[in-house]
Amino acid sequence: MPGPRSEELLVRQRAAVPRGIGSVLPVFVSRAAGGLVVDVDGNSFIDFGSGIAVTTVGNAAPRVRARAAAQLERFTHTCFLVNPYESYVAVCETLNRLAPIAGQARTMLVNSGAEAVENAVKVARAATGRPAIVVFDHAFHGRTLLTMSLTAKNVPYKQGFGPFAPEVYRAPMAYPYRWPTGPDRCAEEAADALVDLVDRQVGAGSVAAVLIEPIQGEGGFVVPPKGFLPRVEQICRDRGILMIADEVQTGIARTGTMFACEDEGVQPDLVLTAKGLAGGLPLGGVTGRADLMDAVPAGGLGGTFSGNPVACEAALGVFEEIAEHDLLARARAIGTAMRAALDALRDRHPFVGDVRGRGAMMAIEIVTPDGAPDPERTRRIVEGCHRRGLLALTAGSFGNVLRFLPPLSMPDALLAEGLRTLAEACLASAAGRP
Ligand SMILES: *Cc1c(COP(=O)(O)O)cnc(C)c1O
């Protein structure tokens, strides 16, 4: 592995595609469904990645496929800025109803997570008249100029790509496992550090928004301790600062609620979606308080492809799949099963330092005997998973987090097999084998 057919295609890829576009597992896919990815050489992999949290309802969920196919027959594009169509409005109505926003909400659609972040910043600056954006350590918000400026990690996301966008300020993230004074003091001290940054360093009157992932994604599935997100909400409210929840990875049923902010009843001013929103078709959304979203005059927001009608139909199919199969409960059940298996790994292997996450978004942090990040071992375990037919992803600022994002359509037996495969890869690693 990769097999001969994938090797052939890789040769073509190397000649045609820049090396800056890497692949986690360079096997070329021929089919993907039911929680399995099958490559062109006939190898099959249990999918614990969902194309990075995208195919939450599955790779080819019936309602997504049927709606998108029917739309392809009708028309592929008009540009919503030229002629509107109903499915765009229907997706916005659904997000307005579901997003944890107080009062009346409005939504605009975009093509990606980064574009959702970009537009949220535009709205926040226009609505407040303030320039600064506060973000957190370990944050990931995208790869465009502004969003990589908002992203924390230098290599590979920022190295060589500066100068970066100005008026971006970074606060420490409430990361309980690595908080210097221990997990119990983490929420309070991280909130105090945010207050210090906002009030003393930037000046609250200059801050348009605090942008936060309610559970960090690429940063390593960092779950802030209870109480931290409500504190952030309050700190923002007290100062007329907007709270933007980047739910690009956590949103749309992934964590067992439609949005991760619901877990503690947090009500941000703006909520961002993309990844899981349209079952694999490119679509993102900015959902926000109506008064804020309407602060930008007509023509100030939009995009040629934004809210493509095929992607909008797919998103409506995603919402139907979630309701029809009670996928919120399914995400919670997957979380319970994964946590039990991952806790057992932690009990068995000292190199599993932490188990965290929520719903179908779980991770383990791999450490050396003295608790330092161990990216080497992490890479070996991932390779062991791939060799044994489990597609797993890494994450984390130190490259030492293994993250698991199975599609909610994955049957129990396959989930259990995937977790057994992971256990084998960990056992092999303990014995010094791949
Ligand atoms: C993936 C991700 C983004 C960027 O989304 P793209 O569609 O890749 O532009 C932004 N924020 C978070 C939290 C993400 O996980």
Side-chain angles (χ1 to χ4, degrees), residues 36-308:
L36 282 175
V37 174
V38 182
D39 79 5
V40 288
D41 294 290
N43 301 308
S44 72
F45 300 88
I46 298 173
D47 183 8
F48 271 17
S50 295
I52 315 189
V54 167
T55 53
T56 307
V57 301
N59 286 90
R63 290 186 180 273
V64 173
R65 211 168 47 195
R67 276 186 169 273
Q71 180 57 39
L72 279 169
E73 296 292 322
R74 290 192 293 269
F75 59 91
T76 56
H77 174 82
T78 64
C79 187
F80 195 78
L81 307 180
V82 177
N83 296 117
Y85 35 86
E86 184 178 348
S87 57
Y88 184 117
V89 178
V91 172
C92 297
E93 288 169 343
T94 308
L95 285 169
N96 293 345
R97 183 163 49 77
L98 297 174
I101 284 174
Q104 212 186 12
R106 301 217 202 292
T107 294
M108 63 172 289
L109 298 179
V110 293
N111 299 298
S112 68
E115 248 194 286
V117 175
E118 292 266 355
N119 280 282
V121 170
K122 284 170 68 172
V123 168
R125 285 178 171 159
T128 60
R130 303 172 177 183
I133 307 295
V134 171
V135 288
F136 290 86
D137 197 3
H138 312 290
F140 180 87
H141 296 294
R143 294 172 179 275
T144 60
L145 172 60
L146 175 58
T147 60
M148 77 174 161
S149 305
L150 298 165
T151 291
K153 193 177 176 180
N154 181 32
V155 176
Y157 303 126
K158 304 168 80 162
Q159 179 79 51
F161 300 146
F164 301 106
E167 290 303 324
V168 173
Y169 301 90
R170 197 170 305 282
M173 177 61 181
Y175 185 168
Y177 182 66
R178 295 208 170 273
W179 195 257
T181 53
D184 294 342
R185 307 181 60 175
C186 174
E188 197 188 324
E189 291 181 2
D192 290 346
L194 175 64
V195 168
D196 182 74
L197 175 72
V198 165
D199 287 349
R200 193 174 59 78
Q201 300 182 46
V202 190
S206 297
V207 180
V210 171
L211 169 64
I212 187 164
E213 299 158 85
I215 297 175
Q216 290 185 319
E218 307 303 301
F221 288 17
V222 176
V223 186
K226 289 268 182 256
F228 179 68
L229 291 172
R231 271 294 303 279
V232 172
E233 182 184 18
Q234 194 57 49
I235 290 164
C236 289
R237 289 281 168 278
D238 291 346
R239 294 162 177 77
I241 296 169
L242 305 183
M243 179 180 184
I244 307 174
D246 182 346
E247 294 237 20
V248 167
Q249 192 152 164
T250 50
I252 318 295
R254 179 49 64 184
T255 66
T257 47
M258 194 57 89
F259 293 92
C261 281
E262 292 169 51
D263 186 58
E264 289 187 85
V266 168
Q267 295 193 310
D269 300 291
L270 300 157
V271 174
L272 314 182
T273 46
K275 291 192 164 86
L277 178 58
L281 279 85
L283 190 69
V286 181
T287 304
R289 272 168 43 199
D291 59 316
L292 304 172
M293 296 296 287
D294 282 337
V296 181
L301 302 171
T304 308
F305 289 122
S306 301
N308 170 272

